[in-house]
Amino acid sequence: MRTARESKNGYVPLPAAFVERVGREVPGLVEALDGTEPPVSVRFNPAKPYTMPADDTDGQVAWAEVGETAYLARRPVFTTDPAFHGGAYYVQEAGSMFVGWLLRRCRDAGLLEADGKGLRVLDLCAAPGGKTTHLAAIVAPWGGIVIANEVIRPRAKTLAENVQKWGTDHVAVVSNDPAEFGERLPDFFDLVVIDAPCSGEGMFRKDFGARAEWSPENVLLCAARQRRIVSDAWATLRPGGILIYSTCTFNTVENEENVRWVAERLGGEVLTFDHLPEGIVPGKNADGPALGWHFYPHRVRSEGFFAAAIRKTAAFSSLAASSASKTTNSGKKRGATNSGLTPLSANELREVRRWVSTEALPAAGLEHFVTGGDGSVYGFSTALHEAVTTLLSGRFALLYSGVQLGELIRGSLKPAHALALYPGLNRQAIPVTELSETEALEYLRKGSSTTLLPPDRLAEGLNLVTFQQIPLGWVKRIGRRYNNLYPPAWRILHY
């Protein structure tokens, strides 16, 4: 008799070679992948207070902070929730939130210089943005910054969109090959997170396409690619810095064997921690401490996941940095020194500053205001301003950074959509209109119905529109009509 999951359209059986291996190595896993439904988990934005109805939630993720996450009792249609579009929460696999647990434990153990103050983080394979926004939320109170990279340009644009929705002011999004970080930015980052492309065994429960694409040969190809990615980026990690390596697969070839290879060949110490949340399984290592940690769907409420933390030793770094610095210096000789960031005049600065506030922010907020090469005004923290200047001087492909505030026209700021989503927006600078769910959905589909969203609900001129106090964007009322200024590329098509 076929199970409920086997009866679904498009069902693909688990690969026979995979079943044979995990049936022997991890009893109970095959049954969980084919006989249970995957959980749905979300992570809340601490800068955008929001409470889900109690009936919609079903507990919290054990390896996250209290109140930071929730499992959902059922999978909703997120497209119909305006709070989702406003960046109040991110739909993220529970297992991948363990990266945040590792970062916090590294700080608690004193493994980060200056107790994490001013931490520089590289999320190397960052799209669509779950780990980036999580890392950003954690390091914001420490004054840290996150550089989020995605080499595939369409995915990088999605990453930039999600960063804007989250409302960060200390993240930069770039689209570069991993090798360029090691070549151009030696010893630059304190923490590098590499969620490496993998064979996807951890997604077998919900992604039948991953089952169809799997093969033992592909596992070996993935493992080799993962080693190449880590090797390419290793020089960008400072001596004593930490690499968090993760995959969404189960096999030891892509996991424990790669962790051992990184430690032995590149020069690192594999970190271990006590008091793990219940159900997480230490990685296999016959010679000593665990080589990372496994998340098995029949042991924890998560899809398949693996993560390890490796601290870089100074001995290897001196060689890598020496080699990489030659490339960096030669790059500078080619004239890559102009950052393209122009400081504002005193009058421009006065106009821009009235739009921002630090009251709702966990850190200092925006400290530098400049005009970028695209003519828009951007705001940065001091740490991010320094990093972005370095990225531009190094010819990195910068897609988004800091907060895009808008465009100065005849001395007045025409605000960008990103400014509406920024928690540091000064709401005293603009009329604010709270929308009902029906009105919010009309706005999010970029509609202009005066029946679904009556103009008399808006103040004359520009309005910030919100849902449950969560900003959604701008609307401009002109008499008995209005202009919906929601970005066309972001509009929802069906609800």
Side-chain angles (χ1 to χ4, degrees):
M1 181 180 294
R2 303 182 78 186
T3 67
R5 287 183 57 73
E6 290 174 333
S7 299
K8 290 184 177 180
N9 291 333
Y11 174 80
V12 175
L14 291 166
F18 170 82
V19 171
E20 192 278 331
R21 188 195 81 221
V22 301
R24 179 181 67 254
E25 297 177 351
V26 192
L29 178 55
V30 170
E31 292 78 6
L33 293 176
D34 244 357
T36 61
E37 291 294 328
V40 182
S41 50
V42 300
R43 181 174 43 76
F44 298 111
N45 190 336
K48 298 184 178 183
Y50 171 72
T51 302
M52 279 190 167
D55 291 345
D56 293 344
T57 61
D58 184 27
Q60 301 184 34
V61 176
W63 43 92
E65 298 290 285
V66 174
E68 184 181 29
T69 64
Y71 289 105
L72 303 189
R74 63 198 65 82
R75 187 175 190 90
V77 180
F78 291 107
T79 303
T80 65
D81 185 2
F84 168 72
H85 296 280
Y89 62 88
Y90 194 101
V91 184
Q92 184 177 0
E93 293 291 348
S96 70
M97 299 179 196
F98 188 65
V99 170
W101 187 91
L102 286 173
L103 171 54
R104 288 176 169 129
R105 289 301 298 271
C106 287
R107 186 189 191 227
D108 293 345
L111 298 174
L112 300 175
E113 288 185 355
D115 199 27
K117 300 294 183 184
L119 193 71
R120 287 177 175 175
V121 179
L122 172 63
D123 188 359
L124 189 67
C125 309
K131 293 181 184 66
T132 294
T133 52
H134 195 188
L135 294 165
I138 293 173
V139 306
W142 310 348
I145 62 169
V146 179
I147 308 302
N149 179 68
E150 174 55 53
V151 67
I152 301 173
R153 191 57 66 93
R155 287 172 53 82
K157 290 181 178 179
T158 299
L159 170 64
E161 177 182 326
N162 285 328
V163 164
Q164 291 177 63
K165 287 181 177 178
W166 199 250
T168 68
D169 58 10
H170 54 293
V171 175
V173 177
V174 295
S175 183
N176 286 81
D177 187 273
E180 294 171 323
F181 289 91
E183 292 169 355
R184 304 176 192 178
L185 297 177
D187 294 350
F188 189 81
F189 292 98
D190 304 288
L191 174 71
V192 174
V193 176
I194 300 180
D195 187 33
C198 68
S199 60
E201 296 169 354
M203 297 293 105
F204 279 1
R205 180 161 56 169
K206 70 175 185 179
D207 185 354
F208 294 157
R211 300 181 177 196
E213 295 172 2
W214 185 92
S215 70
E217 294 76 19
N218 191 44
V219 168
L220 297 177
L221 288 173
C222 287
R225 178 171 56 181
Q226 292 151 359
R227 292 184 181 189
R228 183 175 68 252
I229 291 171
V230 175
S231 298
D232 285 344
W234 187 252
T236 202
L237 184 64
R238 67 164 174 81
I242 294 169
L243 166 69
I244 296 179
Y245 172 84
S246 65
T247 72
C248 59
T249 204
F250 300 120
N251 66 79
T252 59
V253 177
E254 297 178 73
N255 295 327
E256 289 96 331
E257 291 182 23
N258 269 355
V259 171
R260 187 193 303 275
W261 184 89
V262 170
E264 294 178 353
R265 293 288 295 273
L266 301 185
E269 171 196 5
V270 181
L271 301 177
T272 60
F273 297 102
D274 297 326
H275 309 297
L276 289 169
E278 185 178 357
I280 299 174
V281 177
K284 302 176 182 67
N285 182 13
D287 301 328
L291 295 173
W293 300 272
H294 282 281
F295 289 67
Y296 295 120
H298 63 302
R299 299 289 301 271
V300 292
R301 296 179 69 183
S302 168
E303 295 303 87
F305 189 69
F306 173 87
I310 307 166
R311 192 177 191 190
K312 182 177 183 179
T313 59
F316 177 85
S317 178
S318 61
L319 297 175
S322 174
S323 173
S325 63
K326 294 177 183 178
T327 305
T328 303
N329 291 335
S330 65
K332 289 181 180 178
K333 289 178 182 179
R334 290 195 298 268
T337 57
N338 181 13
S339 72
L341 304 178
T342 305
L344 303 184
S345 68
N347 288 338
E348 291 172 333
L349 190 59
R350 190 177 303 111
E351 162 64 10
V352 168
R353 281 190 180 277
R354 76 179 185 88
W355 286 86
V356 297
S357 168
T358 59
E359 292 181 4
L361 298 176
L366 305 181
E367 301 163 305
H368 295 264
F369 300 90
V370 300
T371 301
D374 61 354
S376 290
V377 176
Y378 291 84
F380 302 101
S381 67
T382 296
L384 187 62
H385 181 263
E386 293 174 354
V388 166
T389 299
T390 300
L391 290 170
L392 291 173
S393 297
R395 299 182 185 271
F396 281 85
L398 187 67
L399 301 188
Y400 185 79
S401 57
V403 182
Q404 184 182 19
L405 301 172
E407 185 180 358
L408 284 165
I409 300 176
R410 293 186 293 277
S412 296
L413 184 72
K414 179 182 178 182
H417 183 72
L419 178 56
L421 303 179
Y422 177 50
L425 171 68
N426 177 17
R427 297 199 185 188
Q428 305 303 315
I430 198 76
V432 179
T433 299
E434 174 74 9
L435 302 182
S436 67
E437 183 175 5
T438 299
E439 293 168 337
L441 289 172
E442 174 65 7
Y443 171 72
L444 292 168
R445 78 173 188 89
K446 199 171 173 59
S448 57
S449 169
T450 56
T451 300
L452 295 176
L453 178 50
D456 59 12
R457 294 274 288 108
L458 305 163
E460 186 68 24
L462 193 65
N463 292 250
L464 174 71
V465 292
T466 63
F467 173 76
Q468 297 185 13
Q469 302 303 310
I470 300 163
L472 300 178
W474 307 111
V475 172
K476 186 173 184 179
R477 178 183 171 182
I478 309 170
R480 300 306 304 162
R481 63 181 181 87
Y482 62 87
N483 287 342
N484 186 333
L485 302 180
Y486 196 66
W490 293 15
R491 68 188 181 97
I492 62 176
L493 301 178
H494 307 286
Y495 65 90

